[in-house]
Structure formats: C-alpha cells, structure tokens
Amino acid sequence: MDDRCSESLHWNGGAALLFEAGARNIKQFSSFEAGGQNEPKAVFVVSTVLKGRTADIIKDIISLSHFQYCVVFTTVPHSIHLLANNVTTELEGNPVFEQFEEKLCEWMGDMNYTAEVMHVPVVFAPLTQQLHLLPAFSDLFPLLEVDLEAINEKRPEKRRFGSLMDVDMHSLPPELQIQIKSLASALNALFEFISTREESYSVGPISRLIAGELASHPQAKNRRKSAPNKASIVFIDRSLDLTGAVGHHGDNLVEKILSVLPQLPGHVTDVQVDMLELTHLKQTAEGILAPGCLAQNQSATARLLWETMLVAKQKEAVMEVRRQLVEAASKENLPIKMSLGRVTAEQLCSYVQLFRDSWGALESHSGVLQLGLAAAQALRHPALPRWDACLAFERLLLQALGDSDLAEVLKQLLPLIKSSESGTGSGSGDLSVDDLLVLLVYVYSMAQEACPGGPEEEKRIEKVENELIGALTLRLTQQTTLSPLLQEITGISGPVELTVKHAHSALENVFETLRGVSHARDHLKHFNSVYTASDGAHQATYRPLLKQVLEEIFHPDRRECPDVEHMSGGLTDLLKTGFSMFMKVTRPHPSDHPLLFLFLVGGVTPSELRLIREVVSNHKSGTQVLVMSTRLLRPSDVPHLLFSADRLKPDIGV
C-alpha cells in the first residue's frame, strides 16, 4: 500500500482493519519489498496512475515474489487512465485495466494465474465527523502569479491569459489536469454513496476549475436526476488567505502539537508521540519503542477527546485532557492525586505514569493516554518559545502595516535576519530562516490592502526587498545545516555545496512568489481584503476570508455575492437566465440546502475549524456544515507549498 492510501487507512481504523479482514502481512509500496515463499496472493493499493514509476514498482515486487493471484486497486478512475494515455474517445469496458491485468500475469510468469485491476476511491481520511481530509491530494495547491507566467510562456502571445481566473482546464499541464479530474471524480463518488445531488460554488481560480469539473462530471447527470438528498459544496482557494494559514495562533493545542512533534514517517498529518513515559525503560532506549499517534479510532472516549483538542481553545483542551486522564485512572482504581489550578505538562505526565504498571489499564485506555502524552510533550517542548516569538512578531507586524508603508514594515525584518547571524539561530527566541519565510508570507498576504502604494512606493519596496535578499543570502551561506525546507528551495542537500550565487537566485524566486501572494485577491470584489486598519480606538485586525465567506452565505437576506460563483453544468441554467427577463427566478444560493460542504483547496488550520463552528452556531441556520480539505496545515507547511512544491506538475506516480 502506498503512503497516501495508508494515511487514509490510518484515520479509518488502521492496519488492525486489514488484519481482522484476513491480511497476513502489510508492506510499504516499494521496490525493496516482496512476498514470501508461502504467500501466493497479493493486493496492491495505490493512489496513482498505473503506468511509469507505479508500474515499475509493481513489476519489481512481483518479480521478487511467488504470487499466483494479484489484485490492484487504484484510486484513479479508468476514464482518467485513458486521459493519461492520450486516448480521447469513449471506449467500451475498461481496456487500460484489462491490459494491465495481462501485464500482471506476464510478470507473475504464467498467463493462467489470476489478475484483477479495479478503481476504488479510498482517498478520504475522517479526522473527525465534521472534518475529512484527502491525503492523496495533499500537494494540490492553488496556482499563483508565477504559475500563470509559466503557463503563458508556452502559449503564443495573442492567446496569453490576463489573469488566473481566465485559465481553463485544457491549458493546464496534463499532471494537474489528472489530479483535478481525480479529485472531482472522488467527490462525485462520495455524493453517489450518500445519494445526494449537489450544487457547486467556488471562490478562486483553482476552485472554479474543480467545481466546474464536478458540475460537468459525466456520471453525475444520472445521479442528480434521482438523488433524494440535496447539498451545497463551496470550494475555496487557500491562496486567497495565507495570513490565517501561517499565523501562529496562541489558542489552539493541536496546532502546537502538529508543529513541534515529529511527523509520522510517510504521513502528512499525524505525528509521533513518544511512549517512553508508559514504560520503565531508560532514556537511552531509542529505536525499540514504537511511537504513539493522534489517530485514535478504537475508543469513543479518545475520539471525543481528540475532537475537543482540535476545535476547543487551548485552556479548555488541556483541562479536558486532564479530566479524561483522571477519569480513566479512577476507573482503574489507580492512586491518583487530585490537583486543581493550571494544568502543567509534568502533571499530565505524572497521571500517565500511573498506568505503566497495569497492562490491562494501559491497553483499555491507550487512546486517551497517547493524546495525553501528545499534549504534555507539546506543552514542554523546547521549540514552544519560538512559537510565542513568532506570534509576538506577527502582532507587531499587523499593527505596523497600518501605521507605515510596506517598505518600512519589511525593514523591520532586517534586524531579525541579521541578529541571528551571529548566533547559530538555535536559541529559544531566535528565529530560523524557516520562521522568517513564514513571517514574510504573513506580511505579503496582507500587504496589498494594508499599504496600497504607487510607483514611487514600489521602487522603495524593491530596494528593501533586495536588502532582504542580500541579508538572507548571507544568512543561508552561513548555515551549518540546511533544514528540509531550505534543501527543497535551493535544491541542494548540504551547506558545503551552497554558493552565494545559488542561494541568491533561489531567494529571488521566493520573493517573486511572495509578490504574487500579495495580489491573490485582486480579482475579488467583495472579499478583497482580510485586513481592517486601526481607527484609533481599535487596533488593526486580521479578518479571516473564511469567516467573511460564511457570514455572506448565512446572511439572513440571502444576498447575492459576486465572488461566490455558482457552477453547474447544463442547459436549465441558461434557460433560467433567459426567463429571468420576464419572470422572477430565484438563483441558487449556498444556504439553500440542509447540508453544506466547505472544501478548502490547499489546506485548513485547526483554528479555522473552530471559527467555522462559531460562525455556524451564531447564525443558528440549522445547516449542517462538513469541512473537507487537502491537508491539515501547520504554519511551516505553507513555505513548502509556495516555494518548493511543483504546483503545475504534481506527482501522479508516473
């Protein structure tokens, strides 16, 4: 099973489900794995197109094994396999899958052996009942100005696009088309499964393409005729509001856990929880203890605790962690010392340690114990002061943007870059280059509306940008090690090979992307600002785009909003607009139906989940809101998605 599918499995109940269903062994999808002598049957589960690299790996595994029966499940539907093989006509049956079945038999070494190839959309990972992620699309991110330039470069001058909103599906590279069509197909399968007909809406260019693809999906027409349930789905581009994505909000426990604990290998979302406290092992016993994690699907108590941790304020979340640990301990008659007042990491650990001598207690409460340890390890983590330092700088920059122009605000970042040059940058409050990139995204994502400047101003900004690039170049070339992010941005693995010239050009690209970030909302009429300036009585504030969109959707007057575009395939809408000249026609509105899906293309943060919950309950609309997204964001994910991921050519396994 490949990493993306195993991440979906992980949040659906994990490997235990497969073992219960009779699997003998579960292995990573890699050319270095194989089946044993006595293992005649194999099942492959992949999230990619069955050609190129994916096919090579399957071939490698089979040729090292003794299989007589192979089943391959791919999350990419057959119609998209045709597209990947440049077949434009509709064909009967599943010829691509049938051809692959023959290849499998060839590789097994006997055409009489059995091979089956099927499509199943196992792409959803339910983090909670209200939040579903799609790990297979975790690198899908809205396009930016730099991507538009790359698209235009390949087009004749007269046919170049003026803005990202003009880009159509056919002008995208095939890899991105395949990914968008696969996503639309997975959502179509979901609506089919819950027999629902949906109305699609979009805010932003890539959302528009996905919504359009879903609206005109060939299999959706029959479903929409007969489906008894109705829902709205609103797609929103993450790139329209990166301020919220990189902000270090002080008030969410899970954001901190995700940021400071190491990721589970091969996972985009979940982290490793050190289980040492549950044993009597010495600190040196590294590598023999499997890590715990946040996905606790086995026990209902742990699931509820996880939901609280995800959306509650930090104080409520840690109180709830303590309450659950105390409850579990008293259920098991463990000698617990009750203490009130502030919850500390030490206190949580002391509660967890009570369980280590009772194997039965440990097993029956393992979910709550892992979440308790995750909370404790995050609260006492040495990187936490840096989180607070970033939060403090963000607050200062937010106010500074209102008081002075962008050039002045950027100047304030110069001493931050230089101050850490002298040290190694590992001090508790010192900011690393990665942190500085996050702060730059924070500033640029609000710069346009906070300091609209003329050509004079632009020259000054450019001058300061060049100073920043210079200071960051110097800082980069002085690094003793390069973080994974810096390795991705520079394309170089060690500081020894990093030349000044190379660092400088990598940083020039970073700033070019940042300038595009500041123009991401230019095409919006209503939601074109996430910044409210200070009016003397109140400080300047950040207004989340998501909140603005939801307030608009649930507004009691059902106002029409030009930025929330209704996408639906079909003649009826054209007829409706024609008739509306003569009679009153109510236009579809996202709040029409009892169920609303919010799909954030490019990721959602835990703080935003709370915000969605608050807005929905304030409006008492009676609508159930389900959130879907490509990933759960940490601030440090954003520079990766902006500066180093290839947005135009995502990895589709070919």
Side-chain angles (χ1 to χ4, degrees), residues 86-161:
N86 303 322
V87 180
T88 45
T89 46
E90 282 294 308
L91 299 174
E92 285 293 299
N94 293 334
V96 182
F97 287 175
E98 285 157 21
Q99 277 176 357
F100 202 76
E101 285 170 2
E102 283 180 17
K103 276 189 187 163
L104 290 170
C105 290
E106 248 173 65
W107 297 333
M108 286 189 280
D110 189 333
M111 295 313 278
N112 296 324
Y113 285 165
T114 317
E116 293 173 70
V117 176
M118 280 169 276
H119 155 65
V120 266
V122 283
V123 293
F124 296 98
L127 265 75
T128 67
Q129 283 177 320
Q130 278 80 36
L131 170 68
H132 289 248
L133 298 183
L134 291 85
F137 301 95
S138 57
D139 276 342
L140 179 65
F141 198 78
L143 301 179
L144 301 164
E145 291 284 316
V146 279
D147 304 312
L148 179 65
E149 285 164 26
I151 292 172
N152 277 337
E153 256 172 34
K154 296 198 168 78
R155 296 175 70 81
E157 209 148 294
K158 286 188 175 140
R159 294 186 50 221
R160 291 190 172 166
F161 297 114

Side-chain angles (χ1 to χ4, degrees), residues 9-37:
L9 174 71
H10 176 76
W11 289 96
N12 276 294
L17 290 180
L18 293 186
F19 287 127
E20 280 160 23
R24 290 218 200 147
N25 202 337
I26 303 173
K27 298 197 171 195
Q28 191 178 11
F29 183 66
S30 136
S31 296
F32 301 103
E33 293 288 359
Q37 198 87 48

Side-chain angles (χ1 to χ4, degrees), residues 262-277:
Q263 272 172 289
L264 265 182
H267 284 249
V268 178
T269 306
D270 212 344
V271 295
Q272 301 181 46
V273 180
D274 186 355
M275 306 289 272
L276 197 69
E277 313 265 352

